[in-house]
Amino acid sequence: MMSSEYNVFICHRGDDTKKNIVSVLQGILHSKGITCFVDYKMDEGTAVKSAIEQAIENSLVHIVILSEDFKGSRWCLNEVLQIMNIRNGITTISKPRKIITIFYNVASSMDVLKPSVGTENQKEAWIKALEGLLNLKFHEYNSETAFEWEELQHIVSEVEEFLISQHILPHQNRHDEGDCTWRTDVYPDYESVFICHYKKDTQRNVVSVLRGILRSRGITCVVADYAKEGVQTKLDIDKA
């Protein structure tokens, strides 16, 4: 049975990530029945600070997206500090948690994460928390080379596996590589959906996401020369 609390909290710098990686990641999680806190959906009049702190406290999975301007946000840095304090058992009763760190268009180095705001005491605490993140497993995400849907599916799979292990999600919620999202259609069904696009501009972002959403709902989707597919199929484009 699903928890009434949030399963996942996404810590992110809104200007860098809210309209791209965060929007897609939140959408995939939601489609799997995983409740996810993202601050753009807060009700008007909500006490923002306390709501965020409570969401972090309640969530079993914390996803931290480290982006170019992350180090300049007191909000983001304080969220990381709370997340790491929870992990280290400083601020709450210990229970199983998972932290997933994503370096989004930045190098996986502390050099790009040194806080550019705050007092010296604050910076010291934030740096210690950020260094703790670097000791954990992390993902590197480059929006110029990543196929957005496929890359984020790997992260969602980590979330699913952890929540299943904690009996938050039923075991059947986890799909294996036979799921329609991942299946290679060697002989596409030309009667479903054909996406006309200019590969260089759109294949790694909007086409990847649109194709992923359609296929996750069992809709066969034809994308000519989809580079991520691994199997090159000669299509009769006119027929498709």
Side-chain angles (χ1 to χ4, degrees), residues 2 10 17 21 43 54 76 78 87 91 100 102 111 117 121 126 132 143 160 187-189 214 217 221:
M2 293 293 296
I10 300 180
T17 63
I21 185 174
D43 295 332
Q54 191 61 48
C76 293
N78 281 327
R87 174 182 173 80
T91 61
I100 298 174
I102 305 169
D111 292 339
V117 294
N121 287 339
W126 291 334
S143 61
E160 283 188 290
Y187 301 102
D189 179 358
L214 289 168
R217 285 159 173 72
C221 183

Side-chain angles (χ1 to χ4, degrees), residues 21 62-67 84 87 98-113 129-142 151 154-155 158:
I21 185 174
H62 300 125
I63 299 177
V64 181
I65 303 176
L66 301 171
S67 57
M84 295 308 293
R87 174 182 173 80
K98 184 175 183 64
I99 298 175
I100 298 174
T101 305
I102 305 169
F103 282 84
Y104 180 77
N105 290 339
V106 293
S108 53
S109 167
M110 189 63 205
D111 292 339
V112 299
L113 298 177
L130 290 168
E131 288 176 340
L133 284 179
L134 292 179
N135 291 326
L136 305 176
K137 178 184 174 183
F138 56 79
H139 298 265
E140 293 181 298
Y141 188 108
N142 183 335
E151 291 295 323
H154 292 306
I155 293 166
E158 283 192 43

Side-chain angles (χ1 to χ4, degrees), residues 18 127 220:
K18 198 182 294 289
I127 288 173
T220 305

